[in-house]
Amino acid sequence: MNMNMKMKFWTTVIVVVVMLFGFGASVKCGNNGKCKKKAVIFNFGDSNSDTGGFSIGFGIIFGPPSGRTFFHRPTGRLCDGRVMIDFLCENVKIAHLSPYIQSLGSNFTHGVNFAVSGASTKPERQPFNLDVQIRQFQLFRARSLDLISQGYKDLVKEEEFKKALYIIDIGQNDLASSFTFNNLTYAQVVDNIPSFITVIQTSVRILYEQGGKNFWIHNTGPLGCLPQLLSILGQNFRGDMDKYGCIQTLNNVAKVFNKQLYALTQKLRSEIKDTTIVYVDMYSIKYGVITNPSIYGFESPLMACCGYGGPPHNYVRGRACGVAGYNMCEDVSKFISWDGVHYSEAANALFVSKILSTNYSTPPLDFHHFCN
């Protein structure tokens, strides 16, 4: 075994140990208290980071078995436990972000979660899409400063809005729905991608105009490996599978989106000199785990833990995890996919460990930079 192979082997071992033990109960600030100051996070996105916005906004209860792993009750997250934004918050010693529209029990001391499941960049002005989330932020900021001027406490102050971290994780629904609902061709979807990127660009600029200077932008994952899309579209792409069983066309669309998103971050970095803009390659993180599941203790990487129909994907369109008749895997910690669309807590924990390594970030900036 040469030196490079040894380094890769021990890196893998360390990641697995972190996943199994470091994230077993809670991901706290693990670097001897590197967070010296108050961290504030504003998050924008879809179900990958929704902590209850959809459930509250539409009055839909996500019953058991969601939430079973960590919270031991449903919380509005489309997951058996925590999603990535929860782990990131724990890492900088702040409470999980409350959904913006949560009327009871909210804590907005350290920021807000504007993400809502199903959100996309286009069409604009649809309920909870990215431009709506940005306008909600503008209202939140104005109202917070007004209340502070009246003597209210435990709110984000004006200077903290400037030092806050603004996370954007969106685009998956724009791409997936183009195939599943709009029946577009690969070429048609690719033609639409610049319009998705433009909305993200506009959003960043608005947040900058509102005082935001720190941005953390996730690209989109390998769509062609999602059990949902494999189940729905697999017959249409039977000759288009890679050696791992993922649909290449869908993954290629994600790569085109990600390439343009990366170019956008470079452009913004050069045009807005006094900002920090970090691009995180979630595609490589997720695809790397899905295509090497046994290394991380996972099995059946293209099958949902909770769903319908059993192997190979345990997903049936129109029937959701939690609805009467669903089936459950024996050990969710061994599954990457929770319900065919969303990832399990175990997978999310591993993804975050890789995010925190800075190996997938451009520039490779430590996440604790935003609370120092």
Side-chain angles (χ1 to χ4, degrees):
M1 184 181 289
N2 62 35
M3 185 60 66
N4 287 337
M5 291 178 67
K6 288 181 178 178
M7 289 179 67
K8 289 181 180 179
F9 171 78
W10 284 111
T11 298
T12 297
V13 170
I14 291 170
V15 168
V16 173
V17 170
V18 168
M19 180 186 124
L20 293 178
F21 297 100
F23 289 104
S26 176
V27 179
K28 296 298 183 183
C29 189
N31 295 333
N32 299 318
K34 286 177 86 173
C35 302
K36 304 300 182 183
K37 297 181 181 179
K38 174 182 176 181
V40 176
I41 297 176
F42 295 102
N43 184 69
F44 307 86
D46 51 32
S47 57
N48 286 311
S49 58
D50 184 358
T51 55
F54 182 95
S55 178
I56 296 165
F58 290 98
I60 297 175
I61 299 174
F62 299 141
S66 66
R68 58 183 288 169
T69 298
F70 178 78
F71 302 100
H72 307 298
R73 59 180 174 81
T75 62
R77 291 166 174 79
L78 289 166
C79 181
D80 62 300
R82 290 164 288 185
V83 294
M84 287 193 299
I85 188 63
D86 294 320
F87 288 113
L88 291 172
C89 287
E90 290 176 9
N91 189 258
V92 291
K93 291 185 172 180
I94 64 174
H96 297 153
L97 297 182
S98 296
Y100 170 68
I101 53 179
Q102 180 171 285
S103 58
L104 298 173
S106 292
N107 177 357
F108 296 137
T109 306
H110 293 275
V112 186
N113 191 4
F114 295 93
V116 174
S117 299
S120 56
T121 66
K122 303 289 291 285
E124 296 169 87
R125 297 189 178 274
Q126 291 298 306
F128 308 117
N129 275 3
L130 182 57
D131 71 307
V132 174
Q133 294 179 27
I134 297 299
R135 285 187 280 122
Q136 288 176 330
F137 166 79
Q138 291 175 288
L139 289 173
F140 177 86
R141 183 181 185 279
R143 184 59 174 156
S144 296
L145 299 181
D146 180 46
L147 290 173
I148 288 172
S149 71
Q150 297 177 41
Y152 282 78
K153 307 294 183 183
D154 298 324
L155 293 172
V156 179
K157 302 177 179 63
E158 184 167 13
E159 193 61 29
E160 293 170 341
F161 277 103
K162 296 178 182 178
K163 295 180 179 179
L165 178 62
Y166 296 83
I167 299 177
I168 298 177
D169 184 349
I170 203 162
Q172 177 174 312
N173 291 322
D174 291 283
L175 301 177
S177 64
S178 295
F179 289 100
T180 58
F181 294 106
N182 299 328
N183 296 315
L184 300 184
T185 65
Y186 171 86
Q188 289 172 320
V189 178
V190 168
D191 286 344
N192 288 337
I193 287 176
S195 68
F196 307 153
I197 300 299
T198 295
V199 176
I200 296 174
Q201 174 179 257
T202 300
S203 299
V204 171
R205 288 193 173 278
I206 291 173
L207 293 172
Y208 173 74
E209 291 166 2
Q210 292 284 302
K213 295 183 181 299
N214 300 309
F215 299 92
W216 189 271
I217 301 176
H218 290 187
N219 72 13
T220 199
L223 303 177
C225 301
L226 294 176
Q228 177 209 43
L229 297 183
L230 284 166
S231 174
I232 294 174
L233 300 173
Q235 291 297 315
N236 300 336
F237 294 96
R238 278 179 293 183
D240 188 37
M241 302 292 184
D242 67 16
K243 64 180 180 179
Y244 302 104
C246 301
I247 300 173
Q248 295 185 102
T249 294
L250 301 189
N251 283 350
N252 288 338
V253 162
K255 290 177 183 178
V256 173
F257 174 89
N258 292 340
K259 183 178 180 180
Q260 293 187 27
L261 183 63
Y262 179 78
L264 171 64
T265 60
Q266 290 184 304
K267 175 185 176 184
L268 291 172
R269 213 175 284 125
S270 65
E271 292 178 352
I272 312 175
K273 299 296 185 181
D274 58 338
T275 59
T276 299
I277 302 174
V278 178
Y279 170 92
V280 184
D281 186 6
M282 294 307 306
Y283 183 99
S284 292
I285 291 175
K286 292 176 178 177
Y287 191 70
V289 173
I290 291 169
T291 56
N292 296 281
S294 60
I295 292 177
Y296 305 102
F298 292 118
E299 57 188 40
S300 303
L302 304 182
M303 188 169 83
C305 168
C306 181
Y308 288 82
H313 307 303
N314 198 30
Y315 185 92
V316 174
R317 189 172 195 170
R319 307 190 74 179
C321 169
V323 176
Y326 73 92
N327 64 71
M328 272 286 300
C329 62
E330 290 186 9
D331 185 355
V332 64
S333 70
K334 295 185 180 296
F335 276 70
I336 296 171
S337 177
W338 165 239
D339 60 5
V341 183
H342 312 97
Y343 295 94
S344 67
E345 175 175 290
N348 287 327
L350 179 57
F351 297 158
V352 171
S353 75
K354 289 180 174 288
I355 290 172
L356 296 176
S357 74
T358 74
N359 293 331
Y360 300 86
S361 300
T362 306
L365 194 63
D366 194 303
F367 195 70
H368 292 89
H369 170 83
F370 303 103
C371 63
N372 285 323

